[in-house]
Amino acid sequence: KTTAFLLEYFVWIKLLFTLCLVFHLFCLVVCLKNFKKLEIGYVLFSILFPLLYSWIPFIHNSFGIAGAWCWIRDWKDDCATQKYLEGIIEQFVLWYGPLFISLTLSLIAVFIILI
């Protein structure tokens, strides 16, 4: 469970740092504003915000084996014949949904920067 928690936490940190970097670049290039004073905020946001999400699977005891690594489990009682619906929902709500949204926003921002 510790490995799964740390995986969830650090992957969120990486995603948020990327999003903050793209936001900063967008403001610098498109808006012609330098938000240098927000850099500490970017770091604090990227490190502290994932703590809100990373503990949620502990509520449903959802951390466990998920394929080749420990994460939010998608099988009930480590049995490959029964899907664990809560785990699948948590995977999409806590990771895949926000990942898709943030990567889409980053792609749009980078596209605008390049135009």
Side-chain angles (χ1 to χ4, degrees):
K1 293 186 185 216
T2 304
T3 304
F5 172 78
L6 291 174
L7 175 71
E8 179 84 10
Y9 179 68
F10 286 112
V11 167
W12 261 100
I13 288 176
K14 185 170 45 172
L15 178 67
L16 291 177
F17 267 120
T18 303
L19 194 61
C20 288
L21 179 67
V22 170
F23 173 74
H24 192 77
L25 267 169
F26 180 80
C27 291
L28 192 64
V29 173
V30 176
C31 302
L32 302 174
K33 293 185 179 183
N34 190 359
F35 291 121
K36 192 167 183 94
K37 59 187 173 203
L38 290 180
E39 289 176 0
I40 298 296
Y42 294 153
V43 172
L44 292 176
F45 172 72
S46 297
I47 291 174
L48 298 177
F49 186 75
L51 290 175
L52 295 174
Y53 277 91
S54 299
W55 65 269
I56 292 175
F58 281 120
I59 294 173
H60 299 114
N61 196 22
S62 296
F63 280 136
I65 301 297
W69 57 82
C70 290
W71 191 42
I72 300 170
R73 61 190 169 98
D74 48 3
W75 302 104
K76 194 176 255 184
D77 300 324
D78 296 331
C79 177
T81 60
Q82 297 177 347
K83 286 284 192 180
Y84 182 59
L85 186 60
E86 281 183 6
I88 294 170
I89 291 170
E90 283 185 15
Q91 284 179 1
F92 279 94
V93 170
L94 297 178
W95 178 241
Y96 293 117
L99 173 71
F100 178 74
I101 291 168
S102 63
L103 290 180
T104 302
L105 291 175
S106 295
L107 182 66
I108 291 168
V110 168
F111 185 71
I112 292 171
I113 289 169
L114 293 176
I115 291 177

